[in-house]
Amino acid sequence: MITSDDPAGQAGDSEISVEQRAREDELVERVVASFANAPDPRLRQITTALTRHLHAFLREVRLTGAEWESGIEFLAAAGHITDARRQEFVLLSDVLGASMQTIAINNVAVGDATEATVFGPFFVEGAPLIENGGDLAGDAPGEPCWVEGVVRDVVGNPVPGARIEVWEADEDGFYDVQYEDTRTAGRAHLFSDAQGEFRFWAITPTPYPIPADGPVGAMLAATGRSPLRASHLHFMVTATGLRTLVTHIFVRGDELLDRDSVFGVKESLVKDFRGQEPGTPTPDGRAVDGTWSRVRFDIVLAPADA
Ligand code: BEZ
Ligand code: FE
C-alpha cells in the first residue's frame, strides 16, 4: 500500500538500503523533472503523476527483468491483435476497471440522474430506426422482451424526442457484428414520444463472454477470472441540452451480477425482467408463442453542463 509517509510504495520492505532507496528516488525525480517544461500544464500534470505512480508500482512489487519482458510482450500482443474492429487496449482498460473509474469521474451524480456504465465495443453507428412499439430483435434468436419507460430530466419534466439507441447480444451470446455475414439484428434506435415515453420489443438479455481469445483473455485465465458479462441491454440516450447517457440495464437475479468481467454493474441499473407464461396477453396485442418477459426502465438525464 502506498501511503503519504511512503511515497515509493515500499511499505515494510526493510531489505532496501538507504543508498538503494536514494538511487531509486533520484531516478523518479529526474524523470519527473524531464516533464517540468511541458508547455501544456494538463499534460505536465498527467505525465508527472503517471511517472510517480508507475515508479511506485515498479518499486512496490520489485519488478524483475523477466516480469518486465512479459509485460512488454503482453502489450505488444495487445497491439498486434488490435485493428479497426478489435480494440484490445480498451478491453484491457475494461477488465482493470479503468473504464468504469473514468466513467464514474466524468458522470458526476446529479439528482436522480440514471447512472452510466461501459460503452463496450459493439455499438454501431446508423442502426435502423424503429417506431415506438417496434421490434429491434430482427432475426436475433432469443425470448421476446417488452421494454418500456419514460425519459425525464432531473426536475421531472418529460423529455420528448430523446434519441434512444439500443443494442444487445442474442441468446447464443453474439452481437450481429460478430457474425461473418452482414446481418443487422438486436439493435435499433427510436425516439421518445410527446410524453417522453418509449416502448419496444427486444430479446431477454442473457450472459455472454467478452472477446477472450487474445492477451486480455489469457490474463483473465491466468488470474482465475471469468470473461463473462452479466446479462444486459445497452442504451445510449441523447437529447438537446442534456448529458448523453451511455448505460445498460441488468437482470435482477442473474448470478453474474457481482462478478461482471468489466465491473459495469450498478445496483440502480438492475431491473426486474418479469417472466410471462405462454398465452399471457402482450401490451400491444402481439401474438407471442411461448414465454416472454417485460421490464420497465425510466431514464433520468442530467443537464449537459453537469
Ligand atoms: C459489452 O457489453 O458489449 C462489452 C463491454 C466491455 C467489453 C466487452 C464487451
Ligand atoms: Fe454488451
Side-chain angles (χ1 to χ4, degrees), residues 12 49 55 92 134 217 219 221 235 254 275:
H55 284 251
L92 178 59
M219 186 190 88
F235 284 79
D254 182 349

Side-chain angles (χ1 to χ4, degrees), residues 191-209:
F191 292 92
S192 57
D193 67 16
Q195 288 72 45
E197 292 174 358
F198 64 90
R199 59 202 79 80
F200 59 89
W201 282 102
I203 54 177
T204 310
T206 45
Y208 68 88

Side-chain angles (χ1 to χ4, degrees), residues 118-122 167-169 175 208 210 229-230 232-234 248:
V118 281
F119 194 47
F122 299 120
W167 65 106
E168 66 176 328
Y175 286 82
Y208 68 88
I210 62 170
R229 289 223 58 204
H232 61 271
L233 183 60
H234 289 261
H248 318 337

Side-chain angles (χ1 to χ4, degrees), residues 8-29:
Q10 297 173 118
D13 196 339
S14 54
E15 300 292 299
I16 298 167
S17 69
V18 171
E19 187 190 336
Q20 176 65 25
R21 182 183 279 252
R23 281 188 197 176
E24 295 174 10
D25 285 345
E26 189 271 338
L27 176 60
V28 177
E29 295 313 319

